[in-house]
Amino acid sequence: MAVSFQHLPKVELHLHLDCSLSREVVHLLEGGIGQEEYLRRFVAPADAAGLPDYLLRALEGIRLMQTSEHLRFVTFDLFEQLRKDHILYAEIRFAPLEHTQGGLSPWEVVSHVVNAMSEAIAKTGVEARLILCTLRHYDAAQSMETARLAREFQGSLVAGFDIAADEAAHPLDQHLEAFRFVRENGIPCTAHAGEAKGAESVWETLEKIAPQRIGHGVRSIEDPDLISTLKLRHIHLEICPSSNIMTRVFPSFSAHSIDQLFRHGISLSVNTDGRAISNTTLSEEYEILHRTFGWEEGHFLHCNLNALDAAFADEPTKARLREALVNGYRVISD
Ligand SMILES: [Zn+2]
């Protein structure tokens, strides 16, 4: 019989707002879309030709998120998905500069998403924070503009800064000033690395921008010295198994490094990356890890506690969530 992890409380740290539009919300915003067209436009194929091919689907979501009303609908839609998936706490991320085509300023974009999140948190009971992303192909000024937004909204639901998009095609150099700015202002950072490129990309990211967490980082397994350094510096890896298979980082789930990284004692979490683009839920990711590596509730509790330790929320919030998480597992194992 298939094991279900649906009812376990979960923490998700790596989740792109623009990669998570359900068919229902697209149907609402566009006035109708069939399942076949939805899958073609919003979901990456199981055999995507790599990260750039996978990322093409994000553009479809971004195109529909250009007004205050649409940003609000998409945010509420995601929280409803999180509620159904028993997410206790989520860190949602997006790149605000991508949402100005309808005339909104970047400040207004962030403001609308923060306000929608506040309402959605109250309505669903899912606690959440927002991470603002700069993108690899941005120039230094765009990256700095995003960093300044993170500073302006510091103390609201905006809790962190990230760099996303194609690491193989664009270097980090034009983003160093933005990361220096957010670090000097005490804003926590994460960074996509070690996904399309190998361990050297994680090294470069650690040395040049010193984030608290790495998005993916799954190819760190290629370098034992890097594994030691990640442990020594308490760097948390946000791992997205299905996404890594779709972007061909690994040929199969059984070849994925997550189980080895777990055994090495690396702090890591399980994430979807994007619920539409990866065509998954966190419950489904847990089921895949159960089937592939025999992971049980104890593995998931361990990962979720690591995720809360590495979360960008304040300590009182984390303490409250930690208690709710442990109680949730206790009830299930009773
Ligand atoms: Zn990502």
Side-chain angles (χ1 to χ4, degrees):
M1 199 181 78
V3 180
S4 173
F5 296 98
Q6 175 76 25
H7 297 289
L8 287 180
K10 305 171 189 75
V11 176
E12 181 163 20
L13 299 182
H14 192 123
L15 176 58
H16 294 262
L17 181 62
D18 49 321
C19 298
S20 299
L21 282 72
S22 72
R23 189 183 149 203
E24 288 72 26
V25 82
V26 175
H27 190 84
L28 184 75
L29 301 182
E30 285 197 341
I33 184 170
Q35 175 71 359
E36 203 176 307
E37 188 190 347
Y38 172 74
L39 289 174
R40 182 169 49 77
R41 288 173 46 201
F42 291 88
V43 179
D47 58 346
L51 186 60
D53 189 26
Y54 180 85
L55 292 173
L56 278 178
R57 275 74 193 176
L59 300 178
E60 291 284 349
I62 288 168
R63 199 176 55 76
L64 285 179
M65 296 163 62
Q66 300 296 335
T67 66
S68 60
E69 191 186 29
H70 283 202
L71 286 166
R72 186 179 159 81
F73 274 122
V74 168
T75 304
F76 272 90
D77 173 60
L78 178 56
F79 272 80
E80 193 49 29
Q81 295 176 57
L82 297 177
R83 188 188 63 76
K84 288 181 188 159
D85 205 12
H86 286 249
I87 303 299
L88 188 66
Y89 174 75
E91 287 182 4
I92 298 164
R93 62 185 78 191
F94 84 129
L97 269 55
E98 296 300 297
H99 301 272
T100 57
Q101 293 158 27
L104 294 173
S105 69
W107 189 91
E108 288 171 324
V109 169
V110 178
S111 181
H112 290 309
V113 173
V114 166
N115 290 340
M117 281 179 64
S118 297
E119 277 184 58
I121 290 167
K123 187 172 168 231
T124 61
V126 176
E127 189 57 84
R129 295 292 183 272
L130 187 61
I131 295 173
L132 302 188
C133 304
T134 183
L135 300 178
R136 282 269 181 169
H137 49 272
Y138 281 180
D139 62 23
Q142 290 172 301
S143 224
M144 198 59 192
E145 188 177 2
T146 312
R148 288 191 193 284
L149 279 172
R151 173 70 188 87
E152 283 173 52
F153 283 88
Q154 195 174 12
S156 73
L157 292 177
V158 174
F161 189 67
D162 173 40
I163 182 162
D166 190 3
E167 65 180 314
H170 304 276
L172 271 178
D173 300 337
Q174 66 268 37
H175 308 290
L176 301 186
E177 198 188 335
F179 274 94
R180 199 174 307 123
F181 177 82
V182 292
R183 257 200 326 270
E184 283 170 4
N185 282 286
I187 298 164
C189 298
T190 179
H192 283 67
E195 179 188 18
K197 287 171 81 180
E200 75 281 6
S201 163
V202 179
W203 277 121
E204 184 197 15
T205 303
L206 291 179
E207 279 161 17
K208 289 186 175 173
I209 62 178
Q212 285 93 334
R213 305 189 328 222
I214 297 281
H216 302 287
V218 286
R219 290 183 60 190
S220 302
I221 201 70
E222 295 165 4
D223 182 345
D225 288 343
L226 178 54
I227 294 294
S228 305
T229 301
L230 291 173
K231 278 178 73 171
L232 198 67
R233 296 192 197 170
H234 304 290
I235 305 291
H236 178 87
L237 302 187
E238 310 155 358
I239 298 187
C240 313
S242 285
S243 166
N244 296 151
I245 302 304
M246 285 172 149
T247 58
R248 301 192 186 191
V249 180
F250 300 104
S252 65
F253 285 111
S254 56
H256 198 289
S257 61
I258 188 168
D259 190 56
Q260 280 174 278
L261 290 165
F262 184 94
R263 287 167 194 270
H264 277 293
I266 299 286
S267 172
L268 61 88
S269 53
V270 183
N271 305 273
T272 64
D273 210 0
R275 284 161 180 265
I277 198 166
S278 300
N279 195 22
T280 193
T281 62
L282 209 42
S283 301
E284 287 172 42
E285 295 299 297
Y286 285 18
E287 281 160 32
I288 290 166
L289 294 172
H290 173 71
R291 280 200 308 274
T292 312
F293 300 114
W295 281 27
E296 303 286 356
E297 282 170 20
H299 292 82
F300 299 121
L301 177 59
H302 187 84
C303 288
N304 280 311
L305 286 169
N306 278 337
L308 278 183
D309 287 345
F312 293 160
D314 57 82
E315 275 308 322
T317 304
K318 285 160 67 158
R320 175 173 62 78
L321 293 167
R322 217 172 266 125
E323 194 180 340
L325 180 74
V326 171
N327 283 340
Y329 279 71
R330 199 174 284 142
V331 166
I332 286 158
S333 59
D334 278 350

